[in-house]
Every structure is written in C-alpha cells, then in structure tokens.
C-alpha cells in the first residue's frame, strides 16, 4: 500500500531533522526552528532552502494534531510540497562529490600552444581560463586576463608557456581528489572571496595530485549553476 502525501511529508521532515542534528552535532533536544538557525550557518543546502524549511515546519504542525501520545493526521500536503521536502531530505543525506558538478571532460592547452590559437579555443568554449598540461603534468593556468595583457605587447610567436612565465597570472589552482565533497570546495571559494583574494580554480584528479589526468574543473563561472542546482 502506497503512502499518503502526509506520511511521505512527515518521513522527509523527520529525515531532515535527523540530518540537522547530525550537522550541528546536537546531543540534546532542540526545536526544529533552533536547529534550522544553527544548521544554516554550517550547511549550504539548509541555508539555500531556509525559507521553505521554515514554512514546512509550520506546515508540519498543521498536518498533525498532537493528542496524548498519538499524532493524528488532519491535513494532506500537495504533491509539489511533498516532492520538494523529499528532495531537500535526499540532498541532506546524500554525499555530493564535487566531480558531479564539475565541468568535464577538461579542455586543456599545451605549453607550445600559440596564444592566438589558445584564445580561439577559449572563446569557442566561452571560458576565461584553461589549464596548461604537458602530458599529465600540470604546468599552469592560462587566463583571458593574461591574454589581454599579452595583447598590449604581443609577439605573434608567443606560446602559452611564454605568457604564463611573465607573471601576469595571479590565479590560484587547487587540486582535490575525486571524492572531495562539493560543500568543502564551495567553502574554499567563500573563504577566498571573504579574504579579498581571487577565487581559485579547482581541478579534480583521481587522488588530488597535479601529475594526474584532470577529471573535472570548477571555476567561478560554474558557481551560479551549481548553487542553482542545490536549490531545486
């Protein structure tokens, strides 16, 4: 026998409450609203869905009526609300690896690549930065900013390696293993921006080494799409 929307809603609500207790490491009872406020400081999924979760807390009380030790269901939530709270519950219980949200396959340049050719590739891919590799060995990050500077003193024979060696590239690159969580990577972006630094480009490899084949890449251009996906 299939569950009613109310039963599904309450199961998802209980799962979210359990996840928030785990995230905040709460060892004694806290109300849902208190958990929500504390958890929003630590977890992006909760923070992004905070307003909906506040409403679902109120809706939970409208769905059930406490009578002695029993909870009597007195209302049924809509299909949309039921699906949404189940989605939030699932996001909180799943482990989100950053590779799921990274751009892949990773498009790379070689050190010998002529700048004009590199620019053409980047323009076609609508990206402002591309990693430079010699085989599986990372050599640097070529950016549109560096290419723009090159345009002022251009040499038609310049290569990607030559432009990067002139020190115009202040972008940082961080390597993480494929099992790195999305939340951990997003916190790196937040930390860099809060400290007034350029956000890093994050390259994902099997074990987080710069001598391995790049499996995916995340840059600031990817953030709006990633954050939007966490709210759906």
């Amino acid at each position: 026998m299939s569950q009613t929307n109310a039963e599904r809603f309450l199961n998802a609500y209980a799962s979210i409450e359990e996840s928030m207790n785990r995230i905040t490491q709460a060892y004694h009872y806290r109300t849902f609203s208190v958990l929500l406020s504390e958890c929003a400081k630590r977890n992006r999924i909760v923070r992004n869905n905070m307003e909906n979760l506040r409403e679902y807390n109120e809706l939970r009380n409208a769905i059930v009526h406490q009578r002695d030790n029993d909870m009597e269901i007195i209302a049924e939530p809509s299909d949309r609300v039921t699906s949404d709270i189940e989605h939030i519950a699932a996001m909180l219980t799943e482990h989100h690896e950053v590779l799921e949200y990274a751009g892949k396959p990773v498009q790379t340049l070689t050190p010998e690549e002529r700048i004009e050719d590199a620019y053409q590739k980047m323009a076609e891919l609508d990206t402002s930065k591309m990693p430079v590799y010699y085989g599986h060995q990372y050599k640097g990050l070529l950016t549109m900013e560096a290419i723009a500077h090159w345009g002022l003193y251009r040499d038609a024979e310049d290569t990607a390696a030559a432009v990067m060696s002139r020190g115009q590239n202040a972008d940082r690159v961080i390597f993480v293993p494929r099992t790195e969580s999305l939340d951990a990577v997003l916190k790196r972006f937040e930390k860099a921006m809060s400290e007034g630094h350029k956000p890093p480009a994050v390259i994902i490899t099997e074990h987080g080494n710069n001598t391995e084949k790049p499996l995916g890449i995340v840059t600031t251009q990817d953030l709006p799409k990633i954050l939007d996906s966490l709210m759906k």
Side-chain angles (χ1 to χ4, degrees):
M1 182 177 178
S2 61
Q3 291 184 317
T4 64
N5 279 4
E7 291 170 330
R8 288 168 54 196
F9 180 96
L10 293 175
N11 286 340
Y13 181 94
S15 175
I16 291 169
E17 194 168 31
E18 181 180 346
S19 292
M20 291 198 300
N21 273 298
R22 171 178 48 79
I23 292 166
T24 58
Q25 298 180 329
Y27 299 110
H28 54 83
Y29 174 75
R30 295 179 186 174
T31 64
F32 190 92
S33 58
V34 169
L35 275 175
L36 183 58
S37 296
E38 293 182 3
C39 198
K41 301 172 185 175
R42 308 187 188 188
N43 185 275
R44 184 177 309 277
I45 294 171
V46 172
R47 186 160 61 251
N48 288 347
N49 292 278
M50 194 167 182
E51 291 307 314
N52 280 350
L53 287 172
R54 279 203 184 102
E55 292 180 7
Y56 294 158
N57 182 37
E58 294 178 5
L59 180 57
R60 180 263 181 198
N61 296 327
I63 290 173
V64 299
H65 175 66
Q66 188 77 35
R67 179 175 296 172
D68 297 326
N69 293 324
D70 298 321
M71 287 190 301
E72 178 186 0
I73 295 176
I74 58 176
E76 285 283 329
S78 68
D79 290 343
R80 183 193 65 77
V81 165
T82 303
S83 296
D84 186 56
I85 194 172
E86 286 179 330
H87 177 63
I88 297 172
M91 286 196 297
L92 285 172
T93 55
E94 293 172 357
H95 174 69
H96 296 270
E97 294 183 356
V98 66
L99 189 57
E100 298 175 39
Y101 299 84
K104 49 187 181 289
V106 181
Q107 301 296 325
T108 63
L109 302 167
T110 66
E112 298 82 13
E113 200 112 22
R114 291 176 63 248
I115 291 301
E116 290 178 342
D117 295 333
Y119 169 81
Q120 188 63 35
K121 285 185 180 180
M122 293 167 71
E124 289 173 359
L125 293 169
D126 191 26
T127 182
S128 62
K129 54 191 70 175
M130 280 183 73
V132 178
Y133 274 81
Y134 183 73
H136 287 172
Q137 176 66 58
Y138 172 77
K139 292 298 183 181
L141 192 71
L142 185 64
T143 68
M144 281 295 192
E145 183 179 354
I147 292 177
H149 188 272
W150 164 83
L152 298 175
Y153 311 99
R154 57 184 298 166
D155 180 338
E157 300 304 317
D158 266 344
T159 63
V163 170
M164 288 188 300
S165 70
R166 291 178 187 157
Q168 300 303 325
N169 183 7
D171 288 62
R172 295 184 303 122
V173 173
I174 294 173
F175 289 83
V176 299
R178 66 180 301 153
T179 55
E180 184 83 328
S181 73
L182 174 63
D183 200 52
V185 168
L186 292 178
K187 284 178 180 176
R188 289 178 182 262
F189 281 104
E190 279 186 349
K191 185 174 186 294
M193 289 185 281
S194 67
E195 294 176 348
H197 300 144
K198 280 190 175 182
V202 176
I203 294 179
I204 302 103
T205 68
E206 189 66 34
H207 301 103
N209 299 322
N210 66 0
T211 55
E212 298 175 307
K213 177 183 178 182
L215 303 176
I217 185 170
V218 178
T219 69
T220 51
Q221 285 180 285
D222 302 306
L223 293 184
K225 178 181 64 178
I226 291 173
L227 296 177
D228 183 61
S229 71
L230 294 178
M231 298 183 70
K232 291 180 178 178

